[in-house]
Each structure stands twice: as structure tokens, then as C-alpha cells.
Amino acid sequence: MSAQIENLVTSGTFSLDGGTWDVDNNVWIIGDENEVFVIDPAHEPSKIKQAVGNRAVKAVLLTHGHDDHIRYARAFADLVEAPIHLNPADTMLWEAIFPGTTADAEIKDGDTFEVAGTTLVALHTPGHSPGSTCFYAESLGTLFSGDTLFNGGPGATGRSYSSFETIIDSIRERLLALPATTVVNTGHGDATTIGAEAPNLDEWIKRGN
């Protein structure tokens, strides 16, 4: 027995450094008919709750603290009575949206989350933000990359708290070490694989950000 993966796309905005942009976000639901984890419940909490149905949500797992990923996380978590987990290196981003509060639990590199016979392992991959974290399900051959790695290259690093050099190191050392067949389910846009992205690393470095 292993977990099933469901994808829901929600729409809203992303704001940082004085700018605001329209975005579509991937929400990932992992589990079985009884219980699930929800990764990045962005925007439209009632729509995500409808997709979850009557299943218990063991936890909300956040890949990072940018507002398009977290602004509605608390509303969704309250709807399903689930704790929110976030890497504490992104606390300043959380506090920008939820002043004077913290997420319910901290995510540390190597933490594991189990559901439906499947284990998700937290991989700290800073660069897009200091606390950016991917979740790797080895038994499913799947990585949930947040905004660290996309179909076509690394996540953006042109704004506050980000670093191109750091994200390249994270991708090279943590993600490209995974099997080439690993499916990469991203925070925005289409999925890819480690094998499809790995040959482009040198090109990304030359292109910079």
C-alpha cells in the first residue's frame, strides 16, 4: 500500500518587495481515503477543503514562507483542524503575514512525515528563501519541490532573502543527487523529472539570475 497524489491548482496573488503579481499555485494532497498531508494550501481554502473531503489532514506542510504559499494556510488549517509546519528560517516571511505568531511546528532537515505507508523526507534547500524545503517520497519516486526547482530551471532569486548561488548549491547537492527518474512536482506549473533538469545545470549557472 502506498499513498496517492492529488493536484489542485488555485489562483491568487504573490506580493513581495512592493510588487504584486497574479499567480496559479499547485496544491499537493498526499495520502489515502482516510488521511492526508496537504503541501502548500495556497489561496481558496474552501476549494482545497472540498478536495480533501472528509479525510483527516495530518498536517499542513509548507515548502517556504512566501505569501502566495502561506497567506491562506492558517484559514485552511483551521477548517481542517491541522497543524502547520514551516522551516523556522522563513519565520520573517511568516511574521510579515501573521504578525506576532509562528507556525505550529518547525520543519528541520531530515524530518519525516508518514501517511498511507509512505514516508516524506524534508530536504532543506535554501536559495529561493532561507527556509525553502522540499519533500521527497522515495517509495513514490516523487519530489515536491516547492519553488526550488521548476520545469526549466531553478526558482527565482531576484528578491529579498534569496540567493542564486545558494539555490544552485541546493539543487546540485540535494536534488540532482536523487534518481534521474524522480518526478518533480513543483509549486507552480508543470511537473518535470530530475533527469530532465540535471543536464541544464551548467546553462543555469552561465545564465545567472
Side-chain angles (χ1 to χ4, degrees), residues 115-159:
V115 66
T118 298
T119 300
L120 301 175
V121 180
L123 305 178
H124 184 207
T125 53
H128 182 66
S129 70
S132 285
T133 299
C134 300
F135 300 97
Y136 178 48
E138 182 177 7
S139 66
L140 301 179
T142 300
L143 177 79
F144 300 93
S145 65
D147 290 3
T148 294
L149 179 62
F150 289 116
N151 186 325
T157 54
R159 305 198 179 278

Side-chain angles (χ1 to χ4, degrees), residues 50-121:
Q50 184 176 11
V52 169
N54 294 324
R55 292 175 291 181
V57 178
K58 298 187 71 174
V60 169
L61 305 179
L62 299 177
T63 60
H64 64 292
H66 284 154
D67 80 318
D68 56 323
H69 291 254
I70 72 167
R71 183 174 295 276
Y72 295 96
R74 178 59 71 195
F76 172 74
D78 288 346
L79 281 176
V80 298
E81 299 181 347
I84 298 175
H85 295 241
L86 175 69
N87 189 300
D90 276 2
T91 296
M92 70 291 188
L93 295 168
W94 175 273
E95 290 182 341
I97 305 302
F98 304 106
T101 71
T102 62
D104 301 312
E106 296 184 352
I107 297 174
K108 299 183 294 294
D109 185 60
D111 281 352
T112 58
F113 304 89
E114 297 186 6
V115 66
T118 298
T119 300
L120 301 175
V121 180

